[in-house]
Amino acid sequence: MSVGTLSSSAPAPQPRRLSTLLGYVLVAPPVVIMLLLIFFPALQAVIQTLFIENEATGQTAFSLQNYARFFADPIGLSNLWYTVEITIITVLLLFLLCVPLALYLRFSNSRVANAVQVLALFPLFVPGIILAFALIRFMGTRGTVETILQLFGFTGYHTPYLKPAGIIIGLVWEGIPFTTLVLTSGLRQVDNALIESARDVGANRFQIFWRIILPLIQRPALIVFCLNFIGVFGSYTIPYLLGPAAPQMMGVYMQQTYGDYQDRIGALTQAVITFLFCAVVGLLYVRTVTRQRADAR
Amino acid sequence: MSTITQAAPPFEVNPRSSAASLSRFIRRDGIGLITLVVLILVILGPISSVFLWAFAERWRYPSLIPTQWGLSYWNETLSRADIGDALPTSIFLSLVVTFLSAIICLPAAYAFARIKFRGRQFMLLSFLVTNAFPRFGLYVSIAVVFFRLNLVGTLPGVVLIQLVNTLLLMIWIPTSAFQGVDRSLEEAALDVGASRWRVFIQITLPLVLPALSAAVLLTFVGTFYEAQGALLIGLPNVRTMPVLMYQLINNQVIVQYGAVISVVMWLPSFFLLGFAQRFLRGGALAAGFGV
Amino acid sequence: MSTLTLNNLTKRFGDVPAVNGINLNVGDGEFLCILGPSGCGKSTALRMIAGFEEPTSGDIQIDGESVARIPPNYRPTAMVFQKYTLWPHMKVYDNIAFGLRLRGLSRKQIDQEVSESLEMVGLAKYGPRYPSQLSGGEQQRVALARALVLKPKILLLDEPFSNLDALLRVRLREELRRIQRQVRITAIFVTHDQEEALSLADRIAVMNKGSVEQLDKPSAIYANPQTLFVADFIGAMNLLPAVVNGDEIRIGDTENYQVLPTPEGVHDGMITLAIRPEDIAIVPDSTVSGSGIWRAQTSQLFDLGHYRKAFANLPGIANLKIYLSKATNISEDEPITLYPIRYLVYQDGKPPIETLRAKPEGVLAFS
């Protein structure tokens, strides 16, 4: 029985150029939204901070005055520096905690490992506010931690709540799932054969880690560093709810400048400066990813 | 018949005894157990505090558990007018935003993954770089425009603002998922005569469903808990649960209100975690960001 | 059932021509192998025939009609891919039925077609299974069934067996040939494995760097490789740089050398000498006299079951590959006398010139 081919009823074949047009049509909606709601407002913010109206003449001219004002202000500077510090500490801590975790998950297949992985994913689904609230209850004064320590006789508990450590604890807690997931993925791409051959020539576990594994997960590690940096640098909720009144991270500072002091331009200036920091790291991410994609081809 | 006697291993007298198997288990996965215990304390600890508070009538320090249990605060909290208002608003917003985001972003993700056009790489990466601009700064600029357009304090305004947050996730994860579907699977379908649309529906889509589901779930949860945008644009008419939560944490002395709301707010995400963790473990999230 | 013609088919990626103006004519029911190393353009050529790559220039004709502008869904070709061929989320039955359902066949017709095609590839009861439950060989058989069930005009195969182990490859090869002959379908098979090509093909197109270097029957290609590339690529071959000096071909240097008689049509100068291992006879040391007798030393012996492969070392000149029959009583590191019976001379990039000599007395040869 002849089944026949579809060529008997072939429609006009589509020119290949149509698919390029289709591509543009399909990506248009999100790109347009991004342009309208991110790019242009961002651009506008930058412009507004760079062009100042001279009250006397009524003319607007380019001026770095706003930025000079920010950098001349000791509070602003200390906040900026504070943000950098907290960000770096948080990101480093995340590495310190999640690399061993990822290693364990990569090389272990047991049920315990499964449970560990589920737990590691948990914070993804806990929103910042609830986390802040929970941490206050957990590690705040008269909280769970202090209660338990009290039971064992430790009386000198100083809560990290309303201190920098509080912010760091919260941000690290939030960052565990993403960091672990990315590192585990990166580790999975390190073939077992590479590790076994190192074992074969006599390397011990530490040497294998230091000389084989670590160099091979440079890219995922860099990616995680960049994305965590950007996320932490501009964060608001946890620093606001768990951190001290001063110094403040930039996210909190911005909100205060705008909300409490009604200084719109000041807040925008801070936003641009924050963006510049993040953009540098963002470009590092872009470079890493594009190089990875090029290699993979 | 000859019998071969084996020397009994010195540390296992009776391999079936539970003590022996436990010690074997610990030795084999000791690290894992320690990690598990630590994680339970660290991850579940804070959450459990909140849970305990939600069901506490009275809890005086230094008692380890509430001195008096009870559900009375549930009734009080849930019957509050502002919660009765905020909860449906939050759910509705999240559904709408997630739905819109899916319609807008998923076809684009397919295009990014499968169609070659100029500027593709650039556009993809621009979603990330624009994400580096602090949200708040954007909102400040947007707020002015929205004000002029009378969008402040309206649902559409909040929808737009929250939509922006979802773009990154809803484009990057699906794009990488589509790229992960081997071309030859699609070509084989073309080869037997399927139209491009049919290939998409019957071949590509089923294969990317896990990753797409993860992205959708994460988007839903993220939108539900989004606070900054809703705060700035939504007030005073549109109040979401997170906004309420902020007010309750800062201004409320009675812990139970916050605790109950936390539990209520957090429950849906708990269920979604159950679904999503299967998808996330496949590496979809990591792959979405270039690993 | 159908003929395929490629007319000056070219594909450029940027400036690089992956396929450089190839011309092919495949006859009805013919099994053509496109053979070549990785990167030679064979897969690109096949994908152009299937419709997954658009030719930069040139034409593809099936039964005299140009198909180059027709997208792959509407071409009368069916392809078996190298890997990831079966849709993992569908059962074997649905994999095969997919194309049939598109053509609007009734449930009963589909059932019948599917079971017939599974029967043909020897997987009769495998319908309800999922691809992940099948071995690599079984998956490729299902892929073949899926391609054939649509009764295409041309069957295309892109190195379908290269991910399978050696024994399985041989078995599937034979099955494929049987099925192809039974169904009498025109087939184009791409591979880098010359043994596969030699055993499967009615004709082989040997490709290198985008061009077809030789298109001929396997025996002809084996006996008369037209270029050095083909000579080296197909079968085992001893390739020796040599110098022609009058009626002597000299391998080695001025002090230490061996000679062979120069054939007609070869001028003085540099050449490459090509001798198949089986064309080197082994003779007892004493009985033969004359030109073209080489005295060597055996160095390595490989027992391959029904014959032996050995290396014969001409000290300071070359290490030749030779074959020994089971009977020949020689072991390693022994003197051996060689008499090349047939050799090819490649000069100036032109097709080779063959010399065939009479077998001498007392040959202990393999052939």
Side-chain angles (χ1 to χ4, degrees), chain B residues 7-140:
Chain B
F11 46 80
E12 266 163 32
V13 177
N14 179 357
R16 283 191 179 277
S17 84
S18 51
S21 53
L22 179 64
S23 76
R24 233 182 316 149
F25 180 60
I26 290 182
R27 213 177 311 107
R28 211 179 288 161
D29 213 354
I31 302 179
L33 278 182
I34 297 177
T35 316
L36 188 62
V37 168
V38 168
L39 272 184
I40 289 180
L41 288 177
V42 166
I43 304 272
L44 295 182
I47 304 295
S48 60
S49 305
V50 174
F51 263 83
L52 288 180
W53 268 108
F55 295 100
E57 286 282 328
R58 209 178 301 158
W59 192 356
R60 292 268 168 269
Y61 176 79
S63 162
L64 191 57
I65 53 173
T67 36
Q68 192 181 351
W69 300 91
L71 288 174
S72 63
Y73 280 100
W74 280 78
N75 200 1
E76 268 189 63
T77 316
L78 290 178
S79 55
R80 281 172 70 125
D82 47 10
I83 294 198
D85 201 31
L87 191 55
T89 310
S90 274
I91 297 183
F92 175 73
L93 268 176
S94 306
L95 286 173
V96 168
V97 170
T98 306
F99 179 71
L100 280 178
S101 184
I103 296 190
I104 292 175
C105 295
L106 294 182
Y110 183 77
F112 278 123
R114 281 280 183 258
I115 304 183
K116 290 198 198 94
F117 53 90
R118 272 232 227 113
R120 171 176 151 250
Q121 186 83 318
F122 177 74
M123 277 192 237
L124 248 187
L125 290 169
S126 65
F127 280 101
L128 180 84
V129 181
T130 46
N131 210 55
F133 198 92
R135 202 85 352 113
F136 188 72
L138 286 177
Y139 294 164
V140 170

Side-chain angles (χ1 to χ4, degrees), chain A residues 110 114 125 137 144 173 285, chain B residues 29 49 128 255 269 281 289:
Chain A
S110 60
N114 253 336
F125 289 77
R137 297 292 141 242
T144 312
W173 203 94
Y285 169 83
Chain B
D29 213 354
S49 305
L128 180 84
V255 182
S269 114
R281 288 206 273 158
F289 286 96

Side-chain angles (χ1 to χ4, degrees), chain B residues 189 192 194 202-203, chain C residues 87 90 94-102:
Chain B
V192 299
Q202 290 195 277
I203 308 288
Chain C
W87 300 302
M90 299 202 256
D94 297 310
N95 260 278
I96 302 182
F98 187 81
L100 298 172
R101 289 196 182 118
L102 290 176

